Amino acid sequence: MNRNYLVILAVAFIITLFLFLVNFWFGLMAIVGIIALGMSIYIMQDTLGHPDILAVLKDQAKNLELRNRGNAEAQNIHVTVIPYNVEFDIPALQIEERYTHDFGRMIDEAKVVMTFQNAEGVRYKKTYMLSALGRSDEDLLKPPFPLFRWKKEE
C-alpha cells in the first residue's frame, strides 16, 4: 500500500482515539469512518491499471468508434468484426482516447471481439453486440472495470 495512504489511515486512527476520550459515541462514529476510508483505499488500489475499451457504431452505422474509458493505457489491441470479416490492429489507446474505423458502408448488426493488454501485460478480452437499430447488450449496471478481481479474462 502507498505510504501516503498509510499516513492518512494513521492520522484518522489518532483522531479516533481522541474522539473516544471526548465521547464514546463520537469514537464509534469515527471507527465507521475509518472502515469506510480503508475500504475506499483498498478499492482504489485494486482498480489501478485497468483499461476498458468501449465499441459503438457512429455516423449512421458507417464507422466503428473505440474509446478507452479505463484508467490505464490499452496496448496491442486486436479488433475483429463478425460476420463482416474485418480485422485490424491498433498499437495503443491512451485514457479517454478515441479511434474510429471506417467501414465505407452501413453495418446492420455486428459482433465485435477485442483483445488487448495493459502496461503490465495482463490480457483482456471484450465482446460487444452492436446494432444500427438501437439494440445493445451493454449493461448499464455492470461496473466499468472489474472490481475485486471480478471476471478476469485469460
Side-chain angles (χ1 to χ4, degrees), residues 66-120:
L66 304 175
R67 179 173 62 103
N68 183 3
R69 61 182 181 175
N71 58 11
E73 176 187 30
Q75 300 172 343
N76 301 330
I77 305 162
H78 180 75
V79 180
T80 305
V81 182
I82 303 168
Y84 296 98
N85 200 21
V86 174
E87 290 188 56
F88 58 93
D89 293 318
I90 305 167
L93 273 179
Q94 297 295 326
I95 299 170
E96 292 301 323
E97 183 179 1
R98 297 171 191 262
Y99 176 84
T100 304
H101 180 78
D102 183 28
F103 292 119
R105 60 187 167 140
M106 286 187 181
I107 300 293
D108 181 29
E109 289 185 340
K111 178 179 179 180
V112 176
V113 180
M114 290 181 286
T115 56
F116 52 94
Q117 66 186 27
N118 64 3
E120 288 83 33

Side-chain angles (χ1 to χ4, degrees), residues 23-137:
N23 188 335
F24 178 73
W25 298 110
F26 288 157
L28 288 179
M29 285 187 273
I31 285 179
V32 170
I34 285 180
I35 291 171
L37 183 65
M39 288 173 48
S40 298
I41 289 173
Y42 176 74
I43 290 172
M44 266 185 357
Q45 293 295 319
D46 192 42
T47 59
L48 286 176
H50 290 286
D52 183 33
I53 299 178
L54 175 68
V56 292
L57 290 174
K58 292 285 186 179
D59 295 330
Q60 299 174 350
K62 291 183 181 179
N63 295 328
L64 175 67
E65 181 180 88
L66 304 175
R67 179 173 62 103
N68 183 3
R69 61 182 181 175
N71 58 11
E73 176 187 30
Q75 300 172 343
N76 301 330
I77 305 162
H78 180 75
V79 180
T80 305
V81 182
I82 303 168
Y84 296 98
N85 200 21
V86 174
E87 290 188 56
F88 58 93
D89 293 318
I90 305 167
L93 273 179
Q94 297 295 326
I95 299 170
E96 292 301 323
E97 183 179 1
R98 297 171 191 262
Y99 176 84
T100 304
H101 180 78
D102 183 28
F103 292 119
R105 60 187 167 140
M106 286 187 181
I107 300 293
D108 181 29
E109 289 185 340
K111 178 179 179 180
V112 176
V113 180
M114 290 181 286
T115 56
F116 52 94
Q117 66 186 27
N118 64 3
E120 288 83 33
V122 178
R123 299 205 51 85
Y124 299 90
K125 181 177 180 181
K126 296 205 72 158
T127 303
Y128 288 100
M129 299 298 291
L130 302 178
S131 173
L133 304 175
R135 295 185 309 255
S136 174
D137 68 341

Side-chain angles (χ1 to χ4, degrees), residues 15-27:
I15 292 171
T16 302
L17 290 178
F18 175 73
L19 287 174
F20 264 116
L21 294 176
V22 172
N23 188 335
F24 178 73
W25 298 110
F26 288 157

